[in-house]
Amino acid sequence: MHPTLAFIGGGNMATAIVGGLLKAGRPAAAFLVIEPHGPQRDKLRADFGLDALPAPTPALAQAELVVWAVKPQSFAEAAQAARPWLSQALQLSVMAGVRSDTLAQAAGTERVVRAMPNTPALIGRGIAGLFAREAVTALDRAEVETVLAPTGRSLWLSHEAQLDAVTALSGSGPAYFFYVCEAMVQAGVELGLPEAQARELALATCGGAAALALQSPEPLATLRERVTSKGGTTHAALESLRADAVGAAFARAVKAAAARAEELGRPAP
Ligand SMILES: NC(=O)c1ccc[n+]([C@@H]2O[C@H](COP(=O)([O-])OP(=O)(O)OC[C@H]3O[C@@H](n4cnc5c(N)ncnc54)[C@H](OP(=O)(O)O)[C@@H]3O)[C@@H](O)[C@H]2O)c1
């Protein structure tokens, strides 16, 4: 059997996708993984029975879909090595900050999709923003959705620049969430709770609130107002957050992330 799915880079992201697809029934022989790091190849063999290759070979030309999962700073070197065997395949990049025209040029094909996933992808609970170049067909899009399904949900964007907003919102978002939870845990400890219990309370509350909001058609503001009776405890907390302009500070933070994403994606002069 020829490999139909190739991965350039066999790290965290590639492992999350490969692991999920194997679990969903794809045979190991369908995968070709290029991974220069010996210990990581050993891990792929131990976890999945996959024999990753240290460098691209002509077998790469058999792949129908090539997934780019190296760090952006390794991209130029990885692309140069793989270039002779790429141009027939659909290219899917999960790399942060490498523009689709850079990948199209490096791979010699216009069939390029960019994805911006986030870390919960590693446990199948991520959300990814996707952007397809014009040459990408409906069938290609369906294949991309199937390949990314083990990492969680995904949504299509109409402009590549929107990936910077996705990076700022959901890509970096897990860190904002941890930041808020850290502050909640710290406050809980200062109020007399053991740290383990404060952590459990904070995480279960945030996870539960997100699950509730996902199931509800109502605006977030309505959900918030419903737990905020006038003069009550939540009201006191929200008044304090407003007085500290926390909402505006958050909006500035997300915009700072988007500006940085745009800057990182700019081609070198
Ligand atoms: N992890 C996430 O949740 C997440 C979320 C959003 C976006 N992303 C993006 O996804 C991309 C991959 O992230 P990751 O977390 O999977 O990174 P990672 O775990 O570091 O995996 C990248 C792998 O590619 C290998 N590599 C380096 N140079 C290569 C080459 N020339 N050819 C083939 N493989 C090569 C690396 O080996 P060495 O260790 O030897 O360098 C490493 O094992 C990044 O662009 C990242 O920004 C990741």
Side-chain angles (χ1 to χ4, degrees):
M1 180 178 186
H2 290 311
T4 51
L5 210 56
F7 288 80
I8 313 287
N12 292 316
M13 247 328 152
T15 304
I17 298 172
V18 170
L21 290 173
L22 286 169
K23 219 187 269 172
R26 288 215 192 188
F31 299 97
L32 174 69
V33 181
I34 314 293
E35 171 55 60
H37 195 48
Q40 186 60 22
R41 285 201 304 279
D42 294 343
K43 190 167 181 323
L44 288 165
R45 192 172 304 114
D47 289 352
F48 305 130
L50 269 183
D51 283 317
L53 301 173
T57 70
L60 189 54
Q62 310 288 342
E64 287 161 14
L65 174 59
V66 175
V67 182
W68 291 85
V70 297
K71 296 278 188 217
Q73 58 271 28
S74 306
F75 168 69
E77 192 193 329
Q80 202 183 11
R83 175 73 168 92
W85 303 292
L86 288 179
S87 58
Q88 299 308 311
L90 171 64
Q91 311 288 319
L92 167 62
S93 163
V94 298
M95 297 176 293
V98 176
R99 285 163 40 146
S100 73
D101 48 5
T102 306
L103 181 52
Q105 202 174 22
T109 174
E110 277 295 310
R111 285 172 64 220
V112 170
V113 174
R114 258 186 83 185
M116 183 60 215
N118 62 4
T119 39
L122 304 179
I123 57 158
R125 296 283 303 272
I127 184 155
L130 305 175
F131 169 75
R133 284 176 81 82
E134 238 173 79
V136 172
T137 65
L139 217 64
D140 290 339
R141 284 178 182 244
E143 178 60 7
V144 164
E145 287 172 17
T146 308
V147 164
L148 291 180
T151 66
R153 302 143 61 108
S154 53
L155 48 87
W156 289 98
L157 304 162
S158 39
H159 304 289
E160 185 163 5
Q162 290 171 324
L163 281 174
D164 293 335
V166 171
T167 304
L169 211 69
S170 53
S172 303
Y176 314 154
F177 168 81
F178 297 137
Y179 180 85
V180 169
C181 280
E182 277 175 73
M184 285 170 72
V185 171
Q186 176 68 31
V189 169
E190 283 167 19
L191 289 167
L193 289 169
E195 184 169 343
Q197 286 188 332
R199 178 189 152 105
E200 191 179 346
L201 287 163
L203 291 179
T205 302
C206 294
L212 182 70
L214 278 169
Q215 279 185 19
S216 169
E218 302 200 274
L220 293 172
T222 307
L223 295 175
R224 172 173 49 74
E225 280 156 14
R226 201 165 288 150
V227 290
T228 315
S229 38
K230 209 157 173 57
T233 56
T234 314
H235 187 249
L238 289 175
E239 282 304 303
S240 172
L241 287 171
R242 268 192 206 106
D244 287 337
V246 173
F250 246 95
R252 273 198 304 279
V254 176
K255 286 174 188 165
R260 184 68 183 134
E262 195 274 331
E263 195 175 82
L264 289 173
R266 243 181 258 156

